[in-house]
Amino acid sequence: MPIRDICQAIAKYAFVASPYPVIISAEVHCGLEQQDKMVDIMVEVFGDSLIQAPVDGRPKIKALPSPEDLKHRFLLKVGFHPFFFVHRLSKAY
């Protein structure tokens, strides 16, 4: 199933039962180029509802937001498969 279809279904039904934040837990088994595409799709589909951590040039978070502050928002938790990265790094040398 394409990631775009998954994100669109999540966006459509996420807040039907509750306005509180949805945590999307993703285990990533793809390369950096595909990860970039996944991010582009998620940003496009979820828009400003997707919480993005501060990076260079963005203000730092001084306090964690409450669930009330995060109503109708998406949080993304990403894990990765360590073998992929070990394998990829070993090919670089």
Side-chain angles (χ1 to χ4, degrees):
M1 176 169 257
I3 188 76
R4 182 178 305 281
D5 292 350
I6 294 167
C7 290
Q8 289 171 336
I10 291 169
K12 183 175 180 179
Y13 297 106
F15 306 109
V16 170
S18 171
Y20 289 100
V22 170
I23 300 171
I24 300 168
S25 180
E27 186 165 329
V28 177
H29 294 260
C30 60
L32 295 176
E33 186 175 322
Q34 288 80 18
Q35 289 177 38
D36 285 341
K37 288 179 185 179
M38 286 175 59
V39 170
D40 291 343
I41 290 168
M42 288 181 179
V43 168
E44 178 186 323
V45 173
F46 299 133
D48 290 336
S49 293
L50 181 65
I51 299 294
Q52 298 185 45
V55 293
D56 293 339
R58 290 190 186 160
K60 301 292 181 202
I61 296 174
K62 296 184 189 323
L64 292 176
S66 72
E68 287 292 318
D69 295 332
L70 295 173
K71 282 184 174 179
H72 300 282
R73 305 295 294 268
F74 296 97
L75 299 128
L76 179 63
K77 175 192 141 323
V78 179
F80 66 92
H81 191 272
F83 174 76
F84 173 80
F85 290 97
V86 170
H87 176 72
R88 189 160 175 221
L89 288 173
S90 68
K91 288 189 153 208
Y93 296 102

Coordinates of all heavy atoms in Angstrom, one line a residue:
M1 N 0.9 -1.2 0.0 CA 0.0 0.0 0.0 C 0.9 1.2 0.0 O 1.8 1.3 0.8 CB -0.9 0.0 1.2 CG -1.8 1.2 1.4 SD -3.0 1.0 2.7 CE -4.4 0.7 1.6
P2 N 0.7 2.2 -0.9 CA 1.5 3.4 -0.9 C 1.4 4.2 0.4 O 0.3 4.4 0.9 CB 0.9 4.2 -2.1 CG 0.2 3.1 -2.9 CD -0.3 2.1 -1.9
I3 N 2.5 4.8 0.7 CA 2.6 5.7 1.9 C 1.6 6.8 1.9 O 1.0 7.2 2.8 CB 4.0 6.1 2.2 CG1 4.1 6.8 3.6 CG2 4.5 7.0 1.2 CD1 4.1 5.9 4.8
R4 N 1.4 7.4 0.7 CA 0.5 8.5 0.5 C -0.9 8.1 0.9 O -1.7 8.8 1.6 CB 0.5 9.0 -0.9 CG -0.4 10.2 -1.1 CD -0.3 10.8 -2.6 NE 1.0 11.1 -3.0 CZ 1.7 12.2 -2.6 NH1 1.1 13.1 -1.9 NH2 2.9 12.4 -3.1
D5 N -1.4 6.9 0.4 CA -2.7 6.4 0.8 C -2.8 6.2 2.3 O -3.9 6.5 2.8 CB -3.0 5.1 0.0 CG -3.1 5.2 -1.5 OD1 -3.2 6.4 -2.0 OD2 -3.1 4.2 -2.2
I6 N -1.8 5.7 2.9 CA -1.8 5.4 4.3 C -2.0 6.8 5.1 O -2.8 6.9 6.0 CB -0.6 4.7 4.8 CG1 -0.5 3.3 4.2 CG2 -0.4 4.7 6.3 CD1 0.8 2.6 4.4
C7 N -1.2 7.8 4.7 CA -1.2 9.1 5.3 C -2.6 9.7 5.1 O -3.1 10.4 6.0 CB -0.1 10.0 4.8 SG 1.5 9.5 5.3
Q8 N -3.1 9.6 3.9 CA -4.5 10.2 3.6 C -5.5 9.6 4.5 O -6.4 10.3 5.0 CB -4.8 10.1 2.1 CG -3.9 11.0 1.3 CD -4.1 10.8 -0.2 OE1 -4.4 9.7 -0.7 NE2 -3.8 11.9 -1.0
A9 N -5.5 8.3 4.7 CA -6.5 7.6 5.5 C -6.3 8.0 7.0 O -7.3 8.3 7.7 CB -6.3 6.1 5.4
I10 N -5.1 8.1 7.4 CA -4.8 8.6 8.8 C -5.4 10.0 9.0 O -6.1 10.3 9.9 CB -3.3 8.6 9.2 CG1 -2.9 7.1 9.3 CG2 -3.1 9.3 10.5 CD1 -1.4 6.9 9.4
A11 N -5.1 10.9 8.0 CA -5.5 12.3 8.1 C -7.1 12.4 8.1 O -7.7 13.2 8.8 CB -5.0 13.1 7.0
K12 N -7.7 11.5 7.3 CA -9.2 11.5 7.2 C -9.9 11.1 8.5 O -10.9 11.6 8.9 CB -9.6 10.7 6.0 CG -11.1 10.7 5.8 CD -11.4 9.9 4.5 CE -12.9 9.9 4.2 NZ -13.2 9.2 3.0
Y13 N -9.3 10.0 9.1 CA -10.0 9.4 10.3 C -9.4 9.6 11.6 O -10.0 9.2 12.6 CB -10.2 7.9 10.0 CG -11.0 7.6 8.8 CD1 -10.4 7.2 7.6 CD2 -12.4 7.8 8.8 CE1 -11.1 6.9 6.5 CE2 -13.1 7.5 7.7 CZ -12.5 7.1 6.5 OH -13.3 6.8 5.4
A14 N -8.3 10.3 11.7 CA -7.5 10.4 13.0 C -8.3 11.0 14.1 O -8.2 10.6 15.2 CB -6.3 11.2 12.7
F15 N -9.1 12.0 13.8 CA -9.7 12.8 14.9 C -11.3 12.6 14.9 O -12.0 13.4 15.5 CB -9.3 14.3 14.8 CG -7.8 14.4 14.7 CD1 -7.2 14.8 13.6 CD2 -7.1 14.2 15.9 CE1 -5.8 15.0 13.6 CE2 -5.7 14.3 15.9 CZ -5.1 14.7 14.7
V16 N -11.7 11.5 14.4 CA -13.2 11.3 14.4 C -13.7 11.0 15.8 O -14.7 11.5 16.2 CB -13.5 10.1 13.5 CG1 -14.9 9.6 13.7 CG2 -13.2 10.4 12.0
A17 N -12.9 10.2 16.6 CA -13.3 9.8 17.9 C -12.8 10.8 19.0 O -13.4 10.9 20.1 CB -12.9 8.4 18.2
S18 N -11.7 11.4 18.7 CA -11.0 12.3 19.7 C -10.2 13.3 19.1 O -9.6 13.1 18.1 CB -10.1 11.4 20.6 OG -9.3 12.2 21.5
P19 N -10.2 14.5 19.6 CA -9.4 15.6 19.1 C -7.9 15.6 19.5 O -7.1 16.3 19.0 CB -10.0 16.9 19.6 CG -10.5 16.4 21.0 CD -11.0 15.0 20.8
Y20 N -7.6 14.6 20.4 CA -6.2 14.6 21.0 C -5.2 14.1 20.0 O -5.5 13.4 19.0 CB -6.2 13.9 22.3 CG -6.9 14.7 23.3 CD1 -8.2 14.4 23.7 CD2 -6.3 15.8 23.9 CE1 -8.9 15.2 24.6 CE2 -7.0 16.6 24.9 CZ -8.2 16.3 25.2 OH -8.9 17.0 26.1
P21 N -3.9 14.4 20.2 CA -2.9 14.1 19.2 C -2.8 12.6 18.9 O -3.0 11.8 19.7 CB -1.6 14.6 19.9 CG -1.9 14.8 21.3 CD -3.4 15.0 21.4
V22 N -2.4 12.4 17.6 CA -2.2 11.0 17.1 C -0.7 10.9 17.0 O 0.0 11.7 16.4 CB -2.9 10.8 15.8 CG1 -2.4 9.5 15.1 CG2 -4.4 10.9 15.9
I23 N -0.2 9.8 17.6 CA 1.2 9.4 17.5 C 1.4 8.3 16.4 O 0.8 7.3 16.6 CB 1.8 8.9 18.8 CG1 1.6 10.0 19.9 CG2 3.3 8.5 18.7 CD1 2.0 9.6 21.3
I24 N 2.1 8.7 15.4 CA 2.3 7.7 14.3 C 3.7 7.1 14.6 O 4.7 7.8 14.7 CB 2.3 8.4 13.0 CG1 1.0 9.0 12.7 CG2 2.7 7.4 11.9 CD1 0.9 10.0 11.5
S25 N 3.7 5.8 14.8 CA 5.0 5.1 15.0 C 5.4 4.4 13.8 O 4.7 3.5 13.3 CB 4.8 4.1 16.2 OG 6.0 3.4 16.5
A26 N 6.5 4.7 13.2 CA 7.0 4.1 11.9 C 8.4 3.5 12.1 O 9.3 4.1 12.7 CB 7.1 5.2 10.9
E27 N 8.5 2.3 11.6 CA 9.8 1.7 11.6 C 10.3 1.7 10.2 O 9.7 1.2 9.3 CB 9.8 0.2 12.1 CG 11.2 -0.4 12.2 CD 11.2 -1.6 13.0 OE1 10.4 -1.8 13.9 OE2 12.1 -2.5 12.7
V28 N 11.4 2.4 9.9 CA 11.8 2.7 8.6 C 12.9 1.7 8.1 O 13.9 1.5 8.8 CB 12.4 4.2 8.5 CG1 12.9 4.5 7.1 CG2 11.3 5.1 8.9
H29 N 12.7 1.1 7.0 CA 13.6 0.1 6.4 C 14.0 0.5 5.0 O 14.2 -0.3 4.2 CB 12.9 -1.3 6.3 CG 12.6 -1.9 7.7 ND1 13.4 -2.8 8.3 CD2 11.6 -1.6 8.5 CE1 12.9 -3.2 9.4 NE2 11.8 -2.5 9.6
C30 N 14.1 1.8 4.8 CA 14.4 2.3 3.4 C 15.6 3.3 3.5 O 16.0 3.8 4.5 CB 13.2 2.9 2.7 SG 12.5 4.3 3.6
G31 N 16.1 3.5 2.3 CA 17.3 4.4 2.2 C 16.9 5.9 2.4 O 15.8 6.3 2.5
L32 N 18.0 6.7 2.4 CA 17.8 8.1 2.7 C 16.9 8.8 1.6 O 16.1 9.7 2.0 CB 19.1 8.8 2.8 CG 20.0 8.4 4.0 CD1 21.3 9.1 3.9 CD2 19.3 8.7 5.3
E33 N 17.1 8.4 0.4 CA 16.3 9.1 -0.7 C 14.8 8.8 -0.5 O 13.9 9.7 -0.6 CB 16.7 8.6 -2.0 CG 16.1 9.3 -3.2 CD 16.7 8.8 -4.5 OE1 17.9 8.6 -4.6 OE2 15.9 8.7 -5.5
Q34 N 14.5 7.5 -0.1 CA 13.1 7.1 0.1 C 12.6 7.8 1.4 O 11.4 8.2 1.5 CB 12.9 5.6 0.2 CG 13.1 4.9 -1.1 CD 14.5 4.7 -1.5 OE1 15.4 4.8 -0.7 NE2 14.8 4.4 -2.8
Q35 N 13.4 7.9 2.4 CA 13.0 8.6 3.6 C 12.7 10.1 3.3 O 11.7 10.6 3.8 CB 14.1 8.6 4.7 CG 14.3 7.2 5.2 CD 15.5 7.2 6.2 OE1 15.7 8.1 7.0 NE2 16.3 6.1 6.2
D36 N 13.5 10.7 2.5 CA 13.1 12.1 2.1 C 11.8 12.2 1.4 O 11.0 13.1 1.6 CB 14.2 12.7 1.2 CG 15.5 13.0 1.9 OD1 15.5 13.2 3.1 OD2 16.5 13.2 1.2
K37 N 11.5 11.2 0.5 CA 10.2 11.2 -0.1 C 9.1 11.0 0.9 O 8.0 11.6 0.8 CB 10.2 10.1 -1.2 CG 11.0 10.4 -2.4 CD 11.0 9.3 -3.4 CE 11.9 9.6 -4.5 NZ 12.0 8.5 -5.6
M38 N 9.3 10.1 1.9 CA 8.3 9.9 2.9 C 8.0 11.2 3.6 O 6.8 11.5 3.9 CB 8.7 8.8 3.9 CG 8.7 7.4 3.4 SD 9.4 6.2 4.5 CE 8.4 6.4 5.9
V39 N 9.0 11.9 4.0 CA 8.9 13.2 4.7 C 8.1 14.1 3.9 O 7.1 14.8 4.3 CB 10.2 13.8 5.1 CG1 10.1 15.2 5.6 CG2 10.9 12.9 6.2
D40 N 8.4 14.3 2.6 CA 7.7 15.2 1.7 C 6.2 14.8 1.6 O 5.4 15.7 1.7 CB 8.3 15.1 0.3 CG 9.7 15.7 0.2 OD1 10.1 16.5 1.1 OD2 10.4 15.4 -0.8
I41 N 5.9 13.5 1.5 CA 4.5 13.1 1.5 C 3.8 13.4 2.8 O 2.7 14.0 2.8 CB 4.4 11.6 1.2 CG1 4.8 11.3 -0.3 CG2 3.0 11.1 1.4 CD1 5.1 9.9 -0.6
M42 N 4.4 13.2 3.9 CA 3.8 13.4 5.2 C 3.5 14.9 5.4 O 2.5 15.3 5.9 CB 4.6 12.9 6.4 CG 4.6 11.4 6.4 SD 5.6 10.8 7.8 CE 5.3 9.0 7.6
V43 N 4.5 15.7 5.0 CA 4.4 17.2 5.2 C 3.2 17.7 4.3 O 2.4 18.5 4.6 CB 5.7 17.9 4.9 CG1 5.5 19.4 4.7 CG2 6.7 17.6 6.0
E44 N 3.2 17.1 3.1 CA 2.1 17.5 2.1 C 0.7 17.1 2.6 O -0.2 17.9 2.6 CB 2.4 16.9 0.8 CG 1.3 17.1 -0.3 CD 1.5 16.4 -1.6 OE1 2.7 16.2 -2.0 OE2 0.5 15.9 -2.1
V45 N 0.6 15.9 3.1 CA -0.7 15.4 3.5 C -1.1 16.0 4.9 O -2.3 16.4 5.0 CB -0.7 13.8 3.6 CG1 -2.0 13.3 4.2 CG2 -0.5 13.2 2.2
F46 N -0.2 16.0 5.9 CA -0.6 16.4 7.2 C -0.5 18.0 7.4 O -1.0 18.5 8.3 CB 0.2 15.7 8.3 CG 0.0 14.2 8.3 CD1 1.1 13.4 8.3 CD2 -1.2 13.7 8.3 CE1 1.0 12.0 8.4 CE2 -1.4 12.3 8.3 CZ -0.3 11.5 8.3
G47 N 0.3 18.6 6.5 CA 0.5 20.0 6.6 C 0.9 20.5 7.9 O 1.8 19.9 8.5
D48 N 0.3 21.6 8.3 CA 0.7 22.3 9.6 C 0.3 21.4 10.8 O 0.7 21.7 12.0 CB 0.1 23.7 9.7 CG 0.8 24.6 8.8 OD1 1.9 24.4 8.4 OD2 0.1 25.6 8.4
S49 N -0.5 20.4 10.6 CA -0.9 19.5 11.7 C 0.2 18.6 12.2 O 0.2 18.0 13.2 CB -2.1 18.7 11.3 OG -3.2 19.5 11.1
L50 N 1.3 18.4 11.3 CA 2.4 17.6 11.7 C 3.4 18.4 12.5 O 3.9 19.4 12.1 CB 3.1 17.1 10.4 CG 4.3 16.2 10.6 CD1 3.9 14.9 11.2 CD2 5.0 16.0 9.2
I51 N 3.6 17.9 13.7 CA 4.6 18.6 14.6 C 6.0 18.3 14.1 O 6.3 17.1 13.9 CB 4.5 18.1 16.1 CG1 3.1 18.4 16.6 CG2 5.5 18.6 17.0 CD1 2.8 19.8 16.8
Q52 N 6.8 19.3 13.9 CA 8.2 19.1 13.5 C 9.1 19.7 14.6 O 8.9 20.8 15.0 CB 8.4 19.9 12.2 CG 7.5 19.3 11.0 CD 7.8 19.9 9.7 OE1 9.0 20.1 9.3 NE2 6.8 20.3 9.0
A53 N 10.1 18.8 14.9 CA 11.0 19.2 16.0 C 11.9 20.4 15.5 O 12.1 20.5 14.3 CB 11.9 18.1 16.3
P54 N 12.3 21.2 16.4 CA 13.2 22.3 16.0 C 14.5 21.8 15.4 O 15.0 20.8 15.8 CB 13.5 23.0 17.4 CG 12.5 22.6 18.3 CD 12.0 21.2 17.8
V55 N 14.8 22.5 14.3 CA 16.1 22.3 13.7 C 16.8 23.6 13.5 O 16.2 24.6 13.9 CB 15.9 21.6 12.3 CG1 15.4 20.2 12.4 CG2 15.0 22.4 11.4
D56 N 18.0 23.6 13.0 CA 18.7 24.9 12.8 C 17.8 25.9 12.2 O 17.1 25.7 11.2 CB 19.9 24.7 11.9 CG 21.0 23.8 12.6 OD1 20.9 23.7 13.8 OD2 21.8 23.3 11.9
G57 N 17.8 27.1 12.8 CA 17.0 28.2 12.3 C 15.6 28.3 12.8 O 14.9 29.3 12.6
R58 N 15.1 27.3 13.6 CA 13.8 27.3 14.2 C 14.0 27.6 15.7 O 15.0 27.2 16.3 CB 13.1 26.0 14.0 CG 12.6 25.7 12.6 CD 11.7 24.6 12.6 NE 11.4 24.2 11.2 CZ 11.0 23.1 10.9 NH1 10.8 22.1 11.8 NH2 10.7 22.8 9.6
P59 N 13.0 28.2 16.3 CA 13.1 28.4 17.8 C 13.1 27.1 18.5 O 12.5 26.1 18.1 CB 11.9 29.2 18.1 CG 11.0 29.2 16.9 CD 11.8 28.7 15.8
K60 N 13.9 27.0 19.6 CA 14.0 25.9 20.5 C 12.7 25.7 21.3 O 12.2 26.7 21.7 CB 15.2 25.9 21.4 CG 16.5 26.0 20.6 CD 16.8 24.8 19.8 CE 18.2 24.9 19.1 NZ 18.3 24.0 18.0
I61 N 12.4 24.5 21.6 CA 11.2 24.3 22.5 C 11.7 24.4 24.0 O 12.7 23.7 24.4 CB 10.6 22.8 22.3 CG1 10.1 22.7 20.9 CG2 9.6 22.5 23.3 CD1 9.6 21.3 20.5
K62 N 11.1 25.3 24.7 CA 11.5 25.5 26.1 C 10.7 24.6 27.1 O 11.2 24.3 28.1 CB 11.3 27.0 26.4 CG 12.2 27.9 25.6 CD 12.1 29.3 26.1 CE 12.8 30.3 25.3 NZ 14.0 30.1 24.7
A63 N 9.5 24.3 26.7 CA 8.6 23.4 27.5 C 7.8 22.5 26.6 O 7.4 23.0 25.5 CB 7.7 24.2 28.4
L64 N 7.5 21.3 27.0 CA 6.7 20.4 26.2 C 5.3 20.9 26.2 O 4.8 21.3 27.2 CB 6.8 19.0 26.7 CG 8.2 18.3 26.6 CD1 8.1 16.9 27.3 CD2 8.6 18.2 25.2
P65 N 4.7 20.8 25.0 CA 3.3 21.2 24.9 C 2.4 20.2 25.6 O 2.7 19.0 25.7 CB 3.0 21.2 23.4 CG 4.0 20.4 22.8 CD 5.2 20.4 23.7
S66 N 1.2 20.6 26.1 CA 0.2 19.7 26.7 C -0.6 19.0 25.6 O -0.6 19.5 24.5 CB -0.7 20.5 27.6 OG -1.6 21.3 26.9
P67 N -1.3 18.0 26.0 CA -2.2 17.3 25.1 C -3.3 18.3 24.5 O -3.6 18.3 23.4 CB -2.9 16.2 25.9 CG -1.8 15.8 26.9 CD -1.2 17.2 27.2
E68 N -3.7 19.2 25.4 CA -4.6 20.3 24.9 C -4.0 21.1 23.8 O -4.7 21.5 22.9 CB -5.0 21.2 26.1 CG -6.0 20.5 27.1 CD -7.3 20.2 26.5 OE1 -7.9 21.1 25.8 OE2 -7.9 19.2 26.8
D69 N -2.7 21.5 24.0 CA -2.1 22.3 23.0 C -1.9 21.5 21.7 O -1.7 22.1 20.6 CB -0.7 22.7 23.5 CG -0.7 23.6 24.7 OD1 -1.7 24.4 24.8 OD2 0.2 23.6 25.5
L70 N -1.9 20.2 21.7 CA -1.7 19.4 20.6 C -2.9 18.8 19.9 O -2.8 17.9 19.1 CB -0.7 18.2 21.0 CG 0.7 18.6 21.4 CD1 1.5 17.4 21.9 CD2 1.4 19.3 20.3
K71 N -4.1 19.3 20.3 CA -5.3 18.8 19.7 C -5.2 19.0 18.2 O -4.7 20.0 17.6 CB -6.5 19.6 20.2 CG -7.0 19.2 21.6 CD -8.2 19.9 21.9 CE -8.8 19.4 23.2 NZ -10.0 20.2 23.6
H72 N -5.7 17.9 17.5 CA -5.7 17.9 16.0 C -4.3 17.9 15.4 O -4.2 18.5 14.3 CB -6.6 18.9 15.4 CG -8.0 18.8 15.9 ND1 -8.9 17.9 15.4 CD2 -8.7 19.4 16.9 CE1 -10.1 18.0 16.0 NE2 -10.0 18.9 16.9
R73 N -3.3 17.4 16.1 CA -2.0 17.4 15.6 C -1.4 16.0 15.5 O -1.9 15.1 16.2 CB -1.0 18.2 16.5 CG -1.5 19.6 16.8 CD -1.5 20.6 15.6 NE -0.2 20.8 15.0 CZ 0.6 21.8 15.3 NH1 0.2 22.7 16.3 NH2 1.7 22.0 14.7
F74 N -0.4 15.8 14.7 CA 0.2 14.5 14.5 C 1.7 14.6 15.0 O 2.4 15.5 14.7 CB 0.3 14.1 13.0 CG -1.1 13.9 12.4 CD1 -1.7 14.9 11.7 CD2 -1.7 12.7 12.5 CE1 -3.0 14.8 11.1 CE2 -3.0 12.5 12.0 CZ -3.6 13.5 11.3
L75 N 2.1 13.5 15.7 CA 3.4 13.4 16.2 C 4.0 12.1 15.5 O 3.3 11.1 15.4 CB 3.5 13.3 17.7 CG 2.9 14.5 18.4 CD1 1.9 14.0 19.4 CD2 4.0 15.2 19.1
L76 N 5.2 12.2 15.0 CA 5.8 11.1 14.4 C 7.0 10.5 15.2 O 7.9 11.3 15.5 CB 6.3 11.5 13.0 CG 7.0 10.5 12.1 CD1 6.0 9.3 11.8 CD2 7.5 11.1 10.8
K77 N 6.9 9.2 15.5 CA 8.0 8.6 16.2 C 8.6 7.6 15.2 O 7.9 6.8 14.6 CB 7.5 7.8 17.4 CG 8.5 7.0 18.1 CD 7.8 6.1 19.1 CE 8.3 4.7 19.2 NZ 8.8 4.0 18.1
V78 N 9.9 7.7 14.9 CA 10.5 6.9 13.9 C 11.6 6.0 14.5 O 12.5 6.5 15.2 CB 11.1 7.8 12.8 CG1 11.8 6.9 11.7 CG2 10.1 8.6 12.2
G79 N 11.6 4.7 14.1 CA 12.6 3.8 14.4 C 13.2 3.4 13.1 O 12.7 3.6 12.1
F80 N 14.4 2.8 13.2 CA 15.0 2.3 12.0 C 15.6 0.9 12.2 O 15.8 0.5 13.3 CB 16.0 3.3 11.4 CG 17.2 3.4 12.3 CD1 18.4 2.6 12.1 CD2 17.2 4.3 13.4 CE1 19.5 2.8 13.0 CE2 18.3 4.5 14.2 CZ 19.5 3.7 14.0
H81 N 15.8 0.2 11.1 CA 16.4 -1.1 11.2 C 17.9 -1.0 11.2 O 18.5 -0.6 10.2 CB 15.9 -2.0 10.1 CG 16.2 -3.4 10.2 ND1 17.4 -4.0 9.8 CD2 15.5 -4.4 10.8 CE1 17.4 -5.2 10.1 NE2 16.3 -5.5 10.7
P82 N 18.6 -1.3 12.3 CA 20.1 -1.0 12.4 C 20.9 -1.8 11.3 O 21.9 -1.3 10.8 CB 20.5 -1.5 13.8 CG 19.3 -2.0 14.4 CD 18.1 -1.8 13.5
F83 N 20.4 -3.0 10.9 CA 21.2 -3.7 9.9 C 21.3 -3.0 8.6 O 22.4 -2.9 8.0 CB 20.5 -5.1 9.6 CG 21.2 -5.8 8.5 CD1 22.4 -6.5 8.8 CD2 20.7 -5.9 7.3 CE1 23.1 -7.1 7.7 CE2 21.3 -6.5 6.2 CZ 22.5 -7.2 6.5
F84 N 20.3 -2.3 8.2 CA 20.3 -1.5 7.0 C 21.4 -0.5 7.0 O 22.2 -0.4 6.1 CB 19.0 -0.8 6.7 CG 19.1 0.1 5.5 CD1 19.0 -0.4 4.3 CD2 19.3 1.5 5.7 CE1 19.1 0.5 3.2 CE2 19.4 2.3 4.6 CZ 19.3 1.8 3.3
F85 N 21.5 0.2 8.1 CA 22.5 1.3 8.2 C 23.9 0.7 8.4 O 24.9 1.2 7.8 CB 22.2 2.2 9.4 CG 21.0 3.1 9.1 CD1 19.8 2.7 9.6 CD2 21.1 4.2 8.3 CE1 18.6 3.4 9.2 CE2 20.0 4.9 8.0 CZ 18.8 4.6 8.5
V86 N 24.1 -0.4 9.1 CA 25.4 -1.0 9.2 C 25.8 -1.5 7.8 O 27.0 -1.3 7.4 CB 25.3 -2.2 10.2 CG1 26.6 -3.0 10.2 CG2 25.1 -1.7 11.6
H87 N 24.9 -2.2 7.1 CA 25.2 -2.7 5.8 C 25.6 -1.5 4.9 O 26.6 -1.6 4.1 CB 24.0 -3.4 5.2 CG 24.2 -3.9 3.8 ND1 25.0 -5.0 3.5 CD2 23.7 -3.5 2.7 CE1 25.0 -5.2 2.2 NE2 24.2 -4.3 1.7
R88 N 24.9 -0.4 4.9 CA 25.1 0.7 4.1 C 26.4 1.4 4.4 O 27.2 1.7 3.5 CB 24.0 1.7 4.3 CG 24.0 2.8 3.3 CD 22.7 3.5 3.2 NE 22.9 4.6 2.3 CZ 22.4 5.8 2.5 NH1 21.6 6.0 3.5 NH2 22.7 6.7 1.7
L89 N 26.8 1.5 5.7 CA 28.0 2.1 6.1 C 29.2 1.2 5.7 O 30.3 1.7 5.3 CB 28.1 2.3 7.6 CG 27.2 3.5 8.1 CD1 27.2 3.5 9.6 CD2 27.6 4.8 7.6
S90 N 29.0 -0.1 5.8 CA 30.2 -1.0 5.4 C 30.5 -0.9 3.9 O 31.6 -1.1 3.5 CB 29.8 -2.4 5.8 OG 28.8 -2.9 5.0
K91 N 29.5 -0.6 3.1 CA 29.8 -0.4 1.6 C 30.5 0.9 1.3 O 31.0 1.1 0.3 CB 28.4 -0.5 0.9 CG 27.9 -1.9 0.8 CD 26.7 -1.9 -0.1 CE 26.6 -3.3 -0.7 NZ 26.0 -3.4 -2.0
A92 N 30.4 1.9 2.2 CA 31.0 3.2 2.0 C 32.5 3.1 2.1 O 33.2 4.0 1.6 CB 30.4 4.2 3.0
Y93 N 33.1 2.1 2.7 CA 34.5 2.0 3.0 C 35.2 1.0 2.1 O 34.8 0.1 1.7 CB 34.8 1.7 4.4 CG 34.3 2.8 5.3 CD1 33.2 2.7 6.1 CD2 35.1 4.0 5.4 CE1 32.8 3.8 6.9 CE2 34.6 5.1 6.2 CZ 33.5 4.9 6.9 OH 33.0 5.9 7.7

